[in-house]
Every structure is written in C-alpha cells, then in structure tokens.
Amino acid sequence: MAAVQWRSRGRSYDTELQRCRPEAAPVEFGDYHPLKPIMVTDTKTRRGARKGSTSSSSSSSSSAPADPLSSMLDGTDPLSMFASEAPTMSHSASTGDLGRKRREKEEEAVGQDFEPWSSKRGEILARFTTTEKLSINLFMGSDKGKAPSPGSAVSEKVRTRLEELDDLEEGSQRELLNLSQQDYANRIEELNQSLKEAWASDQKVKALKIVIQCSKLLSDTSVIQFYPSKFVLITDILDTFGRLVYDRIWTMCSDPRPLPESFTVDDVNDTAKETCLNWFFKIASIRELLPRLYVEAAILKCNRFLNKSGIQETLPRLTAMIRGIGDPLVAAYTRAYLCRVGMEVAPQLKDSLNRNFFDLLGTFRQISGESVQNQLVLQRVEVPEYLTLYSPAINWILQCIAYRAPEPLLTEMMERCKKLGNNSALLLNSVMRAFRPEFVAARATDFIGMIKDCDEAGFPKHLLFGSLGRSLACADPPESERLTILNEAWKVVTKVRSPQDYINCAEIWVEFTCRHFTKREVNTVLADIIKHMTPDRAFEDAYPQLQSVIRKILTYFHDFSVLFAMERFLPFLDMFQKDSVRVEVCRSIMEVFIKHQVEPTRDPVILNAMLHICKTMHDSVNALTLEDEKRSLALLIIGFIRMVSFGRDFEQQLSFCVEARATFCNLEPVLVQLIHTVNQLAMETSRVMRGSHSRKTAAFVRACAAYSFITIPSLSSIFSRLSLYLLSGQVALANQCLSQADAFLKAAVSILPEVPRSISVEGKLRSSESFLLDFINNFLATLLVVPDHPEHGVLYLVRGLLNMVQDYTWEDNSDAKVRVYISALPLLAAMSQETYLYSIPKVDSNETLYGGDPKFLSEINKLCETLIGQILDHLKTLGRDEQSTRRQGALAFSLFGVLLAHGDLRNNKLSQLAVNLWNLSHKHGYCETRVSVRTLEYMKHQALQPDMSHLTDTVQRLALQSRT
C-alpha cells in the first residue's frame, strides 16, 4: 500500500459557501396563488347541472387552473351536499327518527346528572358490615318445579303449579345458620345464578320461588347492622327477576315484527297481555305482604304491556300497602326500593315520591316506641348507630325528590325537619346530601342553626357538619357568612373525641378553609389535626384522610413560598411514617410544584423543604425498586433541580449542585442532570464574561470541570459516561480550560474498550455498534479544534482513538472499524488546511500551533496513507467471499466519496485509486444508479470551477454499470 500517496485538497471554505448559496430570483404572482381561498357553490344551485352537464359552473372568478382538491368535488361543498340530501329521506326513516327522538326525550327525565343506584351499591356494602353470624332460609327444590312434559294436559299443568305454590307457602325450606358475612353474600349470589338457570331451563315457578324466598329475608332484622347491605344484595336478585319477566313478554310481542321502544298498549298482542296478567295474578296470590310488595315492584315496568295508566295507578297502591309493614327500618327500605323502581320506569310521577317520603316521616315516632327500643337493647345497638342505618334509604328517596326540584321544595323540607323534633337530625343530614349544593350553600347559616338545635344523642352533630361541609366544598356561601360558618363548624369538629370520626369530618372542612381563607386559617386547621391525630399514633389508621387533606391544600395553594411558610405544614408531613404513603405524598407535592412553579426560585424556605421532600423520595429507593419507579422519581427530582436558580450567584448554584450530588447519589438520571446543570453554569459564566475570563471566573469554570470529572465515573451507563466526557470536554474547551478538556477527552478514549458489544434498549438486547459509531464521529469532529499537547507528540489524541478502535473487539463480519477509518480521513484532511472550518474563540488550534508546518502535514499524510492501506486490505478480504460483495461495494463507494471531497485528485495515483474504487463499487451492480448519476452530475458541475478542471478527465474514466 506504500504506492498510495495521500495529498489533501486545498479548501477555501468561504468561497465554497458562497457557491452553495442559492441565487435570489424575483417571483411574479398572477391571479392564481395556492393559498388563495377557493369559492364553492351550494349544491342546491348545481343539482341539475351535475347530472346532465359537464360544463363548470364554479362561482370562483379566477381564471387560473382549477384546484385539484376542489375539482374532485366538482366545485361543490360536501357538507352542503349532505345537508341538501337530508329532506329526501324516506318516510320510514323519518318515522324511526321521530321514535328515537321521543325515546331520547323520555330518557331526558333522568339525565347524566342523576347519580344512579349502582354507584351507591359498593359504598353501602363496604360501610354496613358485621361480625355477627347470619342465617338464611333456602327452599328445598323438588321435582315438582321441573317443566311438565309436552303431552301433559293444560288442567294438569295448572294444578301442578298451584300445588307448587302451596308447597312453597307451607314452608318447603331449610335454614342455614352461622354464616359469616362473606358466606352470606356468596349464598345470595348462588341464588341469583340459580334464578337465571331456572329461567333459562323454563322453570318459571322455581324462579318465582327463589324471588319470594329472598324477599322474605328482608323481614329479618336479627342482625340489624347488616340490614342495608342485605337489602343491596337481595334487591339485585329482584332486579334480575324484573328484567327477565319484562324481556320475556317483550319477546312475545316481537313476533312477527319487533316492538318499538315507544310502544303503546295497542301494539301488544293478546298472548303477551295474557302472560303479563298471569304474572301479576301469581304475585297477587302471595300471602305475605313483604314479598308480595317487593316482587310486584320488581315487575312494575310490565304494566306498560297492560294499560297506559297502569304504572300511574299501581304506584299509589303499593305506597299505601307499605303502611302495613310494622318495622320502621324495613318499611323505609321498602319505600326506597319502590322509589328506585319508580324513577326508572316513571320519573315524572313525583307525587308518588313525595307520598312515600311523607309516610316515612310519619314512621319516625315509632323509633322511640317500645318495640324498636327493646330490639336495640337485645342487639346492643345504640340509637345513633341505629339511626345511621336509615341513611341510605332516606338519602335515596330524597335524591329522587330533589332531582331538578325547585328551590321552594328545600325550604319546605327544612320546615318539616324543624317540626320533627328529636329525630330531625337524620332527615336534616339526608336533605343536605340530596339537594343541590347551591341551594344548601345559600342557606348555610340556617342549616347551622338547625344543627345546633338537634339532639346530640339522636344523631352525631359532626356527621351533620360533615354533610354541610360537602355541599360547601362544591358551592360558595355568601362571603359575609364564611368566617362565621367556619368558626361554628370547627367548634363542633374539634370536640369530637374519636380520632377516626374527627379526621373524617376535618378532612371535609379543610377544602372549605383552603377555598376561602388564607394560610393563617389553614395553618390553624393543620395544627388542630396534628393535635388530635398524634396521641397514640392515631394517624396510622387515617392515612387516606390525611392524604386527602394534602391533596386539597395543594389544589388551592400553588405558591410554595406561602405553603412552606405555614409552620405546621412540614410537621403535618411528619405524620406520614409509613414509607409507601410518605413517598406517595412527596410525589404528589413534587408533581404540583413542577406543574405550577413557573419561575426559577432561590427562596431558601422552598429549597430546604423541597430538598427534604426529594430526599425522602430518593431514600425510598432500594434493590427491589422497579426501574419504572426509579425513573419516575428521578424525573420529579430533575424537575425540581431545573427550577433552582441563584441568578448571578454562580458559586451558590455550584454549591447547591454539590449538595444535591451527595443527596441523590442513588439515582443516575439525577446525577446526569446535575452534570448538565454544572456545564450549563460554566457556559453561562463564559457568556457573562463575554469569553474573557478573569482570574476568579477562570478558577470557577475549572471548579465546574472538576465537579463533572469527579461525578462522571460514578455513572453505570457506559454511553452516558462517554457522551458526558465529550460534552464536558467541549465545555472546558469553550472556557479555555485546555488541560481539563484534555483530561476529559483522554478519559473518554480510555473507556472505549469497556463498551459492550450489546446493550439493553427498552428491555431488548441490541448491538451497541451504531451507538459507538455515532459517538466516535462526534468525537472526531471535536478533535479538529483540540490543540496537541506539547508533551505528547503530534495528533496524539487522534492516534490514541485509532489505536483503541484497532484493538476493540468488534462483532464478527462487521465493517465498523473500517467505517471509523473512512470517517477519520475527512478529519485529517481538514487538519491539513491553512484555515480550519471552525474554531473556538481564544483557543489556538493546530492551525495556529503548527502554521502549516511541512512536518505536521507529512505526519497527517502518513496517517492517511496508513488508514487507506487498512481500508484497501479489508476490501480485498471482502472480495474473497462472494457473500460480502455488497458490503465491499458500499465501502468502496464511501471511500470514493471521501477521495472526491477531500483528496487532491490531480495526483495521478489518487485519481487512479478513485477510478478503481468506482469500478469496484459498481462491479456487482449493487450501487444505486440514482446515487451514481447524481455523483457524476456533481463532478461535472465541480469541473467547471477553474481549480477543479482536472475532474473532467476523471469523469470520462468513470462508467455506469447496471446490475447483471
């Protein structure tokens, strides 16, 4: 390879730049312009022309060619076209539309703003629990319940069913005792499945038996604390039964054509009516009142199949029948179920809802009666606890009544509460929860007066204030009354002895306090919470409520200087002593800080508090922490670091980074961010000093470089270390810290052998070759402006890098090493120029140090010749293997491009080498013809320049060869 003598082409970068700039050409705009709006005509004026005529009737006055997009639509607007076709709908479609609109109008009676029963179900089941043993009565299934054979007579079928019902009434059942709450719920679910299976197998009487038996369970109040949950479980079965019956009759009406949703009685055939009536007769024959009521209410919707006013007539009758139930709790839930069904099938019938509610008020006097009191004594239940059992039923009934109700109705309800005396608290609680918050907030002072008058023994006042607080959190009371409301409420809340009851109520009123008052009032509330929750470590049982308090404070306080100025805020955070909860709270604070802290801060109060919070998150990281968790915590801490700025006090900023490095040493992304921050600090110092450092600033930027040099080795990611060494070296060069830059670049070269052949990217192993090549190319570009060290010889960094590349263990069948050699040739060619392509202010590069010294240029040429020899040897090796011809062609063409751009092709040997490389790259037809053609065109264009005329002869020797 000694025959190849390299000589770099002389470059005048300024002249080349001028040649590359496009010439400015004046542009004349006619009537047509691509951004000019296109006028379209309404299809109503063009309908006739579209069918028979091909002439254009566009209303645009432009004479320019038609826009291709508008021509596709023939000048018409597609939206107006569809609108104009709307009146031509068929009569059947319009009829269906009317039916759909009527159905939507009916559904509007109960809109999205009405909270459905399903959303309350889970809360009731979770709230009303018991540890007592429960019992359940199950009927004993017999063969009589099976479907009769097809050949049996009708009279035999009727007699069999009557016998089955009699057998049911006579108590063909068994009792299961000593069931836990979960066992009980499982048994009820089994009955629900049995109901569906019996119905599917056409055992309708058996299905009815199950429903009747379940309804009877609602008369049992032996474990009274569980009654609301029992009601929820059993009414699920009733709902299932009601749907099955309704769907069955609906199906019978759908033959031969489907029944419309908005059907009338006239659309129902006689068979369906008879079946529906038969169901009501079966239910009417049930002897006991409670199951008869519940089962008829379950199929209330089926009245639509019989007559138009069936539901309207049935609701008052069922409401009156409930008066026959002796137990006030059982009666209350029966009314709640009837109101629930009524709202589903006829929400417009408010009279029935009101009558149920007024009847319920009438039963309140039974609570103080002998029968109820004896039952409470027997079960050891206090009156306040007993009254809370009514809450779900009363809340539901009042929600139905208050839905879209006028404001005077609330006034009427308040008057009725006053008349109830001792039992008014229960009703008052439900009224405040049921009516719109705006109604309640406007009368907040009146409600407080009524709460004061309530008997504490009947219903706890803190629960009443909790209900009032929920309304005031959603709507604002009059401004003049807010402080009085808070004072009156907190007088009651702070006297609550039970820590759990206290925090449940205090949590609600925190939002009202944050919403309308300053940090002083919020700080007072926090101090009171700490006082109540610290004794006996009561806070350990109230983490969800305490977290809710923090969330509400963060919702209304976004100025963290105000937030951390509260004396009790950080002591409040100290109550979160469970690691997972504490980290979650710190995370929520950081998220709000990053979202709302717009300006960088140097406030010591904020910095100390946020460092404490970030340290808490950092210290939670251990060997078992998931990578995603580490990443999310690191991002939050990085967000905080980016918001810290000490202005021109750069030394203080560096001191902060030193402290942060010691604090967050376990999170690698945070350390990377700190290095970037310090590098940015050094560049900001250079900008302030306009590139001319004083003795003090020079020492400071060297300190920044030392910070990075110490921190980078602690990173585990090899590519993070490489990129940061290079970046920090570039920053050091920009600040005229030559020895520091030299150290960074030498460190980067020294760790190149540590780069693994494969790395994990998003959980998958990938070759590291492409990443390494990118880094080396970036490194080579930096070396152009790095001056040689006087003690280490010429081009010592370039030689060191190439030696590392030579010794690195590349993948088998890899061309990466040769590609690095090819990439190094442009760098060496650029180093041999009299004026470099780019330079760093106040840093003397090799162009100044050597000044075009022939010895320096000779060293460059020798190194280039060595590299070219290595490349050509590799090309020969590839040529021996037929499978590698494509790789050989690609490398040959890359080297040809380097010779064309950077070599002096006036040298006959270099020119002949270029021709040989061209022929080799095209030998097997793998080179893209398009790229080859553009290369030849470029060479012909360059040959027109006076100093590049020698390319004319070279172009004539290059031939295109297509793939054979």
Side-chain angles (χ1 to χ4, degrees), residues 301-355:
K301 191 176 181 180
C302 294
N303 278 284
R304 291 182 63 190
F305 297 110
L306 296 178
N307 55 69
K308 186 177 181 180
S309 59
I311 295 175
Q312 190 172 355
E313 294 169 358
T314 304
L315 277 174
R317 176 172 60 79
L318 295 179
T319 301
M321 288 170 64
I322 296 175
R323 297 171 188 168
I325 299 175
D327 191 310
L329 184 65
V330 176
Y333 277 92
T334 310
R335 290 189 175 92
Y337 184 70
L338 185 60
C339 291
R340 188 178 122 202
V341 175
M343 282 297 286
E344 291 175 2
V345 300
Q348 71 280 4
L349 300 178
K350 295 285 187 181
D351 291 341
S352 172
L353 299 173
N354 295 337
R355 186 174 301 179

Side-chain angles (χ1 to χ4, degrees), residues 405-437:
E407 198 164 346
L409 182 59
L410 178 57
T411 307
E412 181 185 349
M413 291 296 174
M414 292 176 68
E415 293 300 323
R416 287 185 174 271
C417 288
K418 292 176 182 178
K419 294 177 183 178
L420 275 179
N422 291 341
N423 292 324
S424 63
L426 179 61
L427 176 60
L428 186 62
N429 185 61
S430 297
V431 167
M432 288 188 290
R433 295 178 69 117
F435 280 83
R436 290 209 299 272

Side-chain angles (χ1 to χ4, degrees), residues 104-149:
E104 288 175 356
K105 189 174 181 181
E106 289 174 359
E107 290 173 356
E108 283 175 3
V110 178
Q112 296 293 328
D113 54 340
F114 183 80
E115 187 180 3
W117 173 259
S118 57
S119 66
K120 300 177 181 292
R121 183 180 182 279
E123 179 189 350
I124 296 173
L125 289 173
R127 179 181 172 192
F128 297 97
T129 59
T130 183
T131 57
E132 299 284 334
K133 294 300 181 181
L134 304 167
S135 63
I136 184 171
N137 291 323
L138 293 175
F139 79 93
M140 301 294 292
S142 65
D143 292 339
K144 296 179 181 179
K146 294 183 179 178
S149 61

Side-chain angles (χ1 to χ4, degrees), residues 594-651:
I594 293 170
K595 181 177 180 181
H596 295 285
Q597 186 72 24
V598 179
E599 297 294 330
T601 182
R602 60 183 299 173
D603 188 332
V605 175
I606 294 179
L607 296 186
N608 288 333
M610 296 306 293
L611 271 174
H612 171 71
I613 290 170
C614 290
K615 186 177 187 304
T616 300
M617 295 193 300
H618 169 270
D619 292 347
S620 70
V621 174
N622 54 44
L624 300 178
T625 306
L626 298 175
E627 288 300 321
D628 286 345
E629 178 74 7
K630 289 182 183 178
R631 192 180 301 112
S632 64
L633 292 177
L635 286 174
L636 292 174
I637 296 174
I638 288 170
F640 161 63
I641 292 172
R642 287 175 175 169
M643 295 308 298
V644 177
S645 173
F646 290 88
R648 290 290 183 90
D649 192 349
F650 295 153
E651 291 182 351

Side-chain angles (χ1 to χ4, degrees), residues 469-484:
R470 287 189 186 92
S471 295
L472 298 183
C474 302
D476 300 333
E479 187 173 354
S480 59
E481 301 175 5
R482 291 172 186 172
L483 184 58
T484 306

Side-chain angles (χ1 to χ4, degrees), residues 25 36 42 61 77 82 100 125 199 253 304 306 350 425 454 457 494 554 580 682 748 806 822 829 897:
K36 185 177 180 180
D42 196 312
S61 59
D77 177 19
F82 295 147
R100 179 174 52 81
L125 289 173
W199 190 273
C253 299
R304 291 182 63 190
L306 296 178
K350 295 285 187 181
C454 289
T494 194
L554 293 174
S580 60
Q806 175 74 26
I822 294 175

